Amino acid sequence: MVRLTVYLDTSSWNHLLGGQMSSLGRVIGKSDSCIPCYSIQTVKELLGARNEKKKSELDQQLDAVGARYLETLSDTEGGMPTGHRISVKSCEERAQIYEDMLNFSSVGGFGFGDLLQKSIGGIGSTSFEDISKAALTDIERLLDIDVSEIPHEMAAIVTSAAKAMKKQAREAQVELWDQLNQQDDICLPQLNPTQINNFTGAGAFERITEIAKSEEGTSAMIEQFLGQPDPIPSKRADAHLGTPTWEQVNRLAQLLFLLGYWREPKHRKDSERARIDFVGGQTDILHIAYASFCSVFHTSDKPQALLAAAVYDHLNIPTVVFLYTPKTDTETRLYVPKSMQAIDE
């Protein structure tokens, strides 16, 4: 039996719980036709809900509709995803996934989020030096390994290795800070959102890159992002000849985000709320990458949906993008591929 996989963004799971999305709800109810999917990012957001009652209802809903867990696979430990699998996870297993994430995230963010946000002109009150010091603190906390229950000889080896890694981290911090101090303007070059946000539909990414290549700063940025292994052709027709990877989807979405394509102005504000919103923007990109393994990507987040449509169109991803509008309880197809991927069970 051929079945479609439907990846729901967290916004869609919330609307479904609220009794909205009537058309999608009817489709999901037909377990013989499609499989609703969620990822580790979904688990983090749903089980991170502050309202305990709602958190429980969101978690139970995953089981009620027969949702499956979509996880990426890689050829090497910690390497870029090269494939994926979907499986059934119980609420206990999801709770363990969430707990594991909390245990790791309690170390800190290693400054990556703040560094990226500041590079687009956000959190002006935080200096690069502050970010660098916070990152070093997180690294040192990660390397503060409890060796009390390890045999003495092994504990000595682990402690010595951790000490050496801390030293390397401190030296890298000094080098990075010296480089940052030598630059007058560290803000990434960006395009005029009023202009590029008009580009939607087929060829949107190609039209944006044509503008970016004419600008001194963004032309180098385009070359850097597209030229990495595996390279991505700037021409849509050429990009369609390749087989896209999870990493390419993630990279292309990040590039458009940094250029300012449908990026929300609040990400450049200087507040804790802006930090949280920026993290949400980065999570949206991960959802786009995970959804590229499915037949359908469903979300009510317009900027996220338009970003996904532009990326999928350029890379020829066989995933339909649906934008749900809560006010009218309707879905709009923003991207429809020539063919759709499905699974045979």
Side-chain angles (χ1 to χ4, degrees):
M1 178 187 299
V2 177
R3 302 175 71 183
L4 301 179
T5 49
V6 182
Y7 186 96
L8 278 72
D9 177 56
T10 305
S11 62
S12 293
W13 285 115
N14 276 283
H15 288 307
L16 187 65
L17 180 65
Q20 296 172 288
M21 302 197 320
S22 55
S23 58
L24 181 64
R26 287 192 296 270
V27 172
I28 289 179
K30 300 178 181 179
S31 59
D32 60 337
S33 63
C34 74
I35 302 172
C37 296
Y38 63 97
S39 69
I40 189 171
Q41 296 300 321
T42 316
V43 172
K44 180 179 180 180
E45 293 175 309
L46 295 187
L47 296 190
R50 294 182 179 181
N51 185 303
E52 289 295 327
K53 181 176 182 294
K54 184 176 182 180
K55 178 171 69 175
S56 177
E57 291 175 344
L58 285 166
D59 191 28
Q60 292 174 14
Q61 179 179 229
L62 296 176
D63 294 329
V65 300
R68 296 192 193 178
Y69 182 59
L70 185 155
E71 59 187 317
T72 57
L73 305 172
S74 59
D75 297 332
T76 58
E77 185 69 26
M80 283 293 178
T82 54
H84 73 286
R85 68 181 169 206
I86 60 172
S87 58
V88 176
K89 296 289 184 184
S90 65
C91 59
E92 291 79 15
E93 289 173 311
R94 288 194 294 271
Q96 186 60 56
I97 292 171
Y98 182 68
E99 184 178 341
D100 291 342
M101 292 179 69
L102 286 183
N103 289 337
F104 181 78
S105 62
S106 64
V107 173
F110 306 101
F112 294 136
D114 284 350
L115 183 62
L116 197 58
Q117 187 175 7
K118 189 167 181 62
S119 71
I120 64 167
I123 52 174
S125 62
T126 303
S127 68
F128 281 106
E129 184 177 12
D130 291 337
I131 294 172
S132 182
K133 287 179 178 179
L136 181 60
T137 299
D138 291 342
I139 293 172
E140 291 182 335
R141 288 174 61 192
L142 180 65
L143 294 173
D144 283 336
I145 303 169
D146 182 5
V147 296
S148 60
E149 298 182 3
I150 301 177
H152 180 70
E153 291 185 1
M154 180 62 71
I157 295 173
V158 171
T159 302
S160 177
K163 184 178 180 180
M165 293 174 71
K166 287 182 180 181
K167 182 175 182 293
Q168 290 178 342
R170 284 191 289 271
E171 291 173 349
Q173 182 209 30
V174 172
E175 182 180 349
L176 174 61
W177 181 237
D178 286 343
Q179 290 177 356
L180 292 175
N181 275 333
Q182 293 171 12
Q183 301 181 49
D184 296 326
D185 184 9
I186 313 172
C187 191
L188 286 174
Q190 298 159 69
L191 299 175
N192 182 351
T194 304
Q195 180 183 21
I196 62 176
N197 286 353
N198 288 321
F199 298 141
T200 59
F205 177 81
E206 188 172 337
R207 282 176 283 172
I208 292 170
T209 55
E210 286 176 356
I211 293 176
K213 287 179 179 179
S214 66
E215 303 286 340
E216 184 178 351
T218 52
S219 61
M221 191 171 166
I222 291 290
E223 291 178 7
Q224 183 177 4
F225 268 81
L226 298 188
Q228 298 179 44
D230 299 313
I232 302 174
S234 60
K235 294 294 184 182
R236 179 171 177 264
D238 296 334
H240 279 201
L241 300 177
T243 301
T245 64
W246 186 97
E247 188 276 333
Q248 288 179 325
V249 174
N250 184 72
R251 193 196 331 157
L252 214 59
Q254 187 67 264
L255 171 60
L256 286 178
F257 179 86
L258 293 177
L259 287 173
Y261 184 65
W262 283 98
R263 193 182 67 219
E264 300 183 64
K266 60 185 177 181
H267 290 154
R268 299 183 67 178
K269 292 184 178 180
D270 190 1
S271 66
E272 186 58 31
R273 181 69 249 177
R275 271 194 172 95
I276 295 172
D277 290 336
F278 183 82
V279 171
Q282 290 297 295
T283 300
D284 287 347
I285 291 174
L286 290 174
H287 281 304
I288 291 171
Y290 279 110
S292 67
F293 288 125
C294 294
S295 314
V296 175
F297 178 35
H298 192 284
T299 179
S300 65
D301 186 328
K302 184 176 180 179
Q304 180 192 38
L306 287 164
L307 186 61
V311 171
Y312 290 0
D313 169 70
H314 190 74
L315 293 176
N316 199 27
I317 302 292
T319 304
V320 178
V321 177
F322 275 105
L323 172 62
Y324 174 69
T325 304
K327 188 175 292 187
T328 58
D329 191 31
T330 57
E331 282 103 2
T332 304
R333 288 180 293 181
L334 297 185
Y335 168 68
V336 182
K338 294 180 180 178
S339 62
M340 290 175 61
Q341 51 198 333
I343 61 175
D344 193 358
E345 293 192 327

